[in-house]
Amino acid sequence: MKPIWKPSPNFSKREQEIKYIVLHGTWMDSTQAALDRLCSEEAGVSCHYLIDEEGKLYQLVKDTCVAWHAGISAWKNDVSINQYSLGIELSNPGNGVKYTEAQYKTLTILLKVLLSIHHLDGTAVLAHSDIAPDRKDDPGVAFDWNRLYESGAALPIIEDANPSYVQLKFAGYVGREDVVKAAYALR
């Protein structure tokens, strides 16, 4: 699976090892609108990969560079998660719209490759809502985490179906109890 190279000018030098892979929903009306924004110097945002509704894979920033996808974020003792992560956007307008079979297929393959290349455990696959629970809710309620778990492309960050706030904090969440619990509920 070779991605279509669509370079974004929005990246910086990577100075930290990759520890996480962060999944996003674009919350935009079309893949083209998302690509335009992610490649706009004025917008100042980007990601490493984008998967459209048909499962087509784009690469916007090389893994060896930092894409600007996470914003103000934290996980465990790490802040500014861009430095420690790869960002994958899934084209989706939000509002509970389901992701496509083709997107899950491409995402599963991509995650398995990235986890292997970067020597990461499946618990390294996080949601934007996990690392910025007070600001973000993507990839959202329509994203099926169980599909990733069942395929081996990710692992649950907590095995307990109803974890306490202490368990969530220990797993890596940073933030107030209400926003952390709401973010975890999206999984």
Side-chain angles (χ1 to χ4, degrees), residues 4 14 27 31 33 41 60 75 82 93 98 102-103 111 115 133 143 149 181 185:
I4 298 164
R14 185 177 295 284
W27 288 184
T31 298
E41 196 168 342
L60 287 69
W75 188 255
N82 285 336
K98 292 186 181 212
Q103 285 178 308
L111 284 172
L115 290 170
F143 188 77
Y149 303 154
K181 285 187 169 186

Side-chain angles (χ1 to χ4, degrees), residues 1 51 55-57 102-111:
M1 174 176 62
I51 302 170
K56 192 180 302 179
L57 177 64
Q103 285 178 308
Y104 285 114
K105 182 178 179 183
T106 299
L107 179 61
T108 297
I109 294 167
L110 178 61
L111 284 172

Side-chain angles (χ1 to χ4, degrees), residues 80-151:
S80 299
I81 299 300
N82 285 336
Q83 271 293 334
Y84 302 94
S85 66
L86 298 173
I88 301 173
E89 291 272 358
L90 295 152
S91 186
N92 187 289
N95 300 318
V97 173
K98 292 186 181 212
Y99 293 86
T100 68
E101 291 295 319
Q103 285 178 308
Y104 285 114
K105 182 178 179 183
T106 299
L107 179 61
T108 297
I109 294 167
L110 178 61
L111 284 172
K112 288 180 177 182
V113 167
L114 294 175
L115 290 170
S116 176
I117 288 171
H118 299 290
H119 309 288
L120 299 172
D121 178 270
T123 59
V125 179
L126 302 171
H128 199 190
S129 54
D130 292 330
I131 63 168
D134 58 337
R135 301 183 312 109
K136 298 296 179 176
D137 64 355
D138 60 305
V141 296
F143 188 77
D144 187 354
W145 283 94
N146 286 323
R147 291 183 69 140
L148 295 186
Y149 303 154
E150 290 166 6
S151 70

Side-chain angles (χ1 to χ4, degrees), residues 1-179:
M1 174 176 62
K2 184 172 179 166
I4 298 164
W5 179 242
K6 177 80 169 135
S8 174
N10 305 319
F11 65 90
S12 51
K13 181 180 176 185
R14 185 177 295 284
E15 297 178 357
Q16 302 293 332
E17 70 177 288
I18 295 167
K19 295 182 179 182
Y20 314 111
I21 299 172
V22 180
L23 304 182
H24 302 263
T26 59
W27 288 184
M28 299 190 81
D29 290 337
S30 71
T31 298
Q32 189 58 56
L35 283 168
D36 290 347
R37 179 164 173 77
L38 293 164
C39 293
S40 163
E41 196 168 342
E42 288 178 17
V45 295
S46 61
C47 63
H48 291 90
Y49 300 94
L50 175 111
I51 302 170
D52 77 3
E53 293 89 343
E54 296 171 3
K56 192 180 302 179
L57 177 64
Y58 296 87
Q59 184 169 11
L60 287 69
V61 174
K62 294 180 181 181
D63 290 10
T64 54
C65 297
V66 173
W68 304 340
H69 60 94
I72 299 167
S73 53
W75 188 255
K76 298 185 179 181
N77 293 321
D78 297 320
V79 294
S80 299
I81 299 300
N82 285 336
Q83 271 293 334
Y84 302 94
S85 66
L86 298 173
I88 301 173
E89 291 272 358
L90 295 152
S91 186
N92 187 289
N95 300 318
V97 173
K98 292 186 181 212
Y99 293 86
T100 68
E101 291 295 319
Q103 285 178 308
Y104 285 114
K105 182 178 179 183
T106 299
L107 179 61
T108 297
I109 294 167
L110 178 61
L111 284 172
K112 288 180 177 182
V113 167
L114 294 175
L115 290 170
S116 176
I117 288 171
H118 299 290
H119 309 288
L120 299 172
D121 178 270
T123 59
V125 179
L126 302 171
H128 199 190
S129 54
D130 292 330
I131 63 168
D134 58 337
R135 301 183 312 109
K136 298 296 179 176
D137 64 355
D138 60 305
V141 296
F143 188 77
D144 187 354
W145 283 94
N146 286 323
R147 291 183 69 140
L148 295 186
Y149 303 154
E150 290 166 6
S151 70
L155 291 171
I157 53 174
I158 298 175
E159 292 295 333
D160 191 337
N162 189 23
S164 69
Y165 179 57
V166 171
Q167 287 173 297
L168 293 169
K169 296 284 282 181
F170 185 76
Y173 283 95
V174 176
R176 293 187 333 262
E177 183 173 358
D178 59 331
V179 295

